[in-house]
Amino acid sequence: MAKRSKVQTEQTINQIMDEALKQILSIGFDAMSYTTLSEATGISRTGISHHFPKKTDFLVRLDARIGRLFMAALDFSSVEALERSWMQAMRESHYRAVLKLFFSLCGSAERDVTLFRAISGARESAMLELGTQGERTINQLLGRAAVMLIAESDAGVASQAA
């Protein structure tokens, strides 16, 4: 078999990462697997695991992209604008997926994924633009988001049981 060029390898990695991001935001990190990625990309599970030996490697490589996606929805011009933009963003499934991912990583022993840029970036921007009130607002919004996501999850479980 001919050796692949560096460009071809980068294209393959980018294809895998694009699909991983898509699946993380649509079906969730837990449901994403080497099999689902292989089926979607046409790249073998072995080929994918060659570039991403651990599932958490996807999170490490996608952290900045996920962070930018999360931050793009937020308005830091005032506390009210931040709250309004956050609640508006909560209507978007991909934004909720990022928050679900954050909460699932809380308490993770995996050192590489404990610094999740989406939330730390929001907290830093809030502090920079709005001071300590901004940081408090982010913390309150995280709490509200957790409650909303739990309620959403409970509603989904209740409808499956019925």
Side-chain angles (χ1 to χ4, degrees):
M1 179 185 271
K3 184 170 167 81
R4 294 171 47 91
S5 73
K6 189 172 185 131
V7 170
Q8 290 171 316
T9 300
E10 279 303 310
Q11 288 172 336
T12 299
I13 290 170
N14 287 332
Q15 180 184 4
I16 295 166
M17 286 184 11
D18 289 345
E19 183 59 31
L21 179 62
K22 180 180 165 190
Q23 289 189 22
I24 288 168
L25 297 178
S26 61
I27 64 173
F29 180 71
D30 292 336
M32 181 192 80
S33 68
Y34 290 95
T35 300
T36 61
L37 291 171
S38 177
E39 289 169 354
T41 62
I43 300 167
S44 71
R45 290 169 33 132
T46 304
I48 294 169
S49 66
H50 170 76
H51 298 292
F52 300 91
K54 297 183 303 186
K55 191 173 172 184
T56 54
D57 291 340
F58 294 105
L59 297 178
V60 173
R61 293 284 299 271
L62 290 169
D63 189 33
R65 283 172 68 178
I66 293 170
R68 284 191 302 274
L69 176 74
F70 185 84
M71 294 286 290
L74 302 178
D75 180 351
F76 295 95
S77 61
S78 69
V79 169
E80 295 77 20
L82 177 57
E83 290 174 341
R84 193 171 38 258
S85 64
W86 183 288
M87 296 315 290
Q88 177 69 32
M90 285 295 294
R91 295 184 184 128
E92 305 286 333
S93 62
H94 65 272
Y95 192 85
R96 289 192 312 275
V98 171
L99 287 166
K100 286 177 188 175
L101 179 58
F102 167 72
F103 290 124
S104 74
L105 294 175
C106 288
S108 170
E110 188 75 34
R111 207 185 86 189
D112 290 336
V113 299
T114 56
L115 294 175
F116 193 57
R117 281 184 215 177
I119 303 304
S120 62
R123 186 174 281 118
E124 288 169 15
S125 292
M127 279 285 293
L128 189 67
E129 298 296 325
L130 305 167
T132 56
Q133 180 60 35
E135 182 180 30
R136 272 195 302 273
T137 301
I138 290 291
N139 292 337
Q140 291 167 348
L141 290 168
L142 281 170
R144 286 170 63 185
V147 170
M148 290 171 72
L149 293 171
I150 289 169
E152 182 179 285
S153 175
D154 288 348
V157 170
S159 70
Q160 288 177 354

